[in-house]
Amino acid sequence: MSEQLIISIGREYGSGGHDIADELAKRFGLDVYDVNILREVAVEKNLDASLLEKYDEVPKRRFISRNVRGYSNSPEENIANIQFEFLQNKAKNGKSFVVVGRCSETILKDYKGLITIFVLADRDVKIERVSTIRKMSVAEAEATMNRHDRKRKEYHNYYCTGKWGDSRNYDISINSSKLGIDATVDYLESYIRARIEKNN
């Protein structure tokens, strides 16, 4: 691929957004960046990845966090900034990739090759999906979904001006439960290829 392509996937928990990101990455021959960013950083800095991952996409605890001379004592904020810097460096170096979450539609907005997508789904479909995949009761699945989406929303809205999930902040928002995961990927692939053609 001659021109840079960055596909940013925001997603509701249980919507299949990560599976969609993985499949799009395969179809376009791209790497996917998600929690694996922290694994790469851990190897580079000789750190324990599990210590970093527990703060992945977790909102900053504002009441106990302080900034002193430009440095934060918040592990959540420091981990977020590490990931933002990682993605910005990849983009600056001309790399094409797919990224899941991590405020990527905002932090990479200056790159011409960026295509931003938000994946949502009907609530009952998401609950059923979470219940099946994670082997938990419907009540547990609903509570898990609510907790994850609340964290994602708080995390995103702390670092970004645009609100999480607001369709005005993305090139396209799509309900994956209407077509199913595979057909949603087909639709998004067509959209992305049309955008590539238009940009070239």
Side-chain angles (χ1 to χ4, degrees):
M1 187 178 302
S2 57
E3 297 293 327
Q4 185 177 42
L5 172 63
I6 302 171
I7 304 171
S8 163
I9 307 281
R11 76 286 185 219
E12 292 180 343
Y13 193 79
S15 67
H18 200 287
D19 289 344
I20 289 168
D22 283 342
E23 185 57 34
L24 286 173
K26 285 180 192 171
R27 295 191 188 190
F28 288 94
L30 304 176
D31 290 331
V32 180
Y33 292 122
D34 193 352
V35 69
N36 61 327
I37 293 172
L38 294 177
R39 294 176 197 138
E40 288 196 32
V41 169
V43 169
E44 182 184 310
K45 298 183 181 295
N46 197 28
L47 299 170
D48 181 348
S50 64
L51 295 177
L52 305 181
E53 288 172 17
K54 69 180 182 176
Y55 298 111
D56 182 43
E57 282 197 306
V58 175
K60 176 181 176 179
R61 294 182 291 176
R62 299 185 192 192
F63 297 111
I64 62 171
S65 300
R66 297 286 181 272
N67 284 301
V68 179
R69 297 191 184 104
Y71 293 96
S72 173
N73 72 343
S74 163
E76 298 88 356
E77 186 169 24
N78 290 329
I79 294 302
N81 286 327
I82 284 171
Q83 293 185 85
F84 299 160
E85 183 180 0
F86 177 95
L87 292 169
Q88 287 166 339
N89 286 338
K90 292 290 182 185
K92 186 169 62 177
N93 290 329
K95 185 169 175 63
S96 293
F97 54 89
V98 177
V99 55
V100 180
R102 285 144 193 87
C103 302
S104 50
E105 87 290 340
T106 297
I107 65 166
L108 301 175
K109 66 182 179 181
D110 294 332
Y111 291 88
K112 181 184 173 187
L114 177 68
I115 296 175
T116 60
I117 298 163
F118 190 84
V119 182
L120 59 144
D122 292 344
R123 187 171 181 81
D124 58 331
V125 174
K126 291 187 294 182
I127 292 171
E128 182 181 357
R129 180 181 174 83
V130 173
S131 177
T132 301
I133 291 173
R134 299 200 57 177
K135 296 180 173 52
M136 53 178 56
S137 70
V138 167
E140 289 172 323
E142 185 171 20
T144 298
M145 183 182 77
N146 290 339
R147 183 176 69 255
H148 279 277
D149 277 347
R150 184 174 61 253
K151 284 183 177 180
R152 287 177 181 173
K153 182 177 181 180
E154 289 175 12
Y155 167 90
H156 181 280
N157 292 351
Y158 176 77
Y159 296 105
C160 305
T161 304
K163 300 304 180 187
W164 180 78
D166 185 335
S167 61
R168 291 168 292 189
N169 300 319
Y170 307 89
D171 297 324
I172 186 168
S173 294
I174 191 163
N175 185 328
S176 63
S177 53
K178 301 306 181 188
L179 295 174
I181 299 298
D182 292 341
T184 296
V185 173
D186 292 340
Y187 182 89
L188 291 171
E189 180 185 4
S190 297
Y191 174 82
I192 292 165
R193 292 198 185 281
R195 284 282 302 276
I196 292 170
E197 186 176 339
K198 185 172 187 234
N199 288 342
N200 288 341

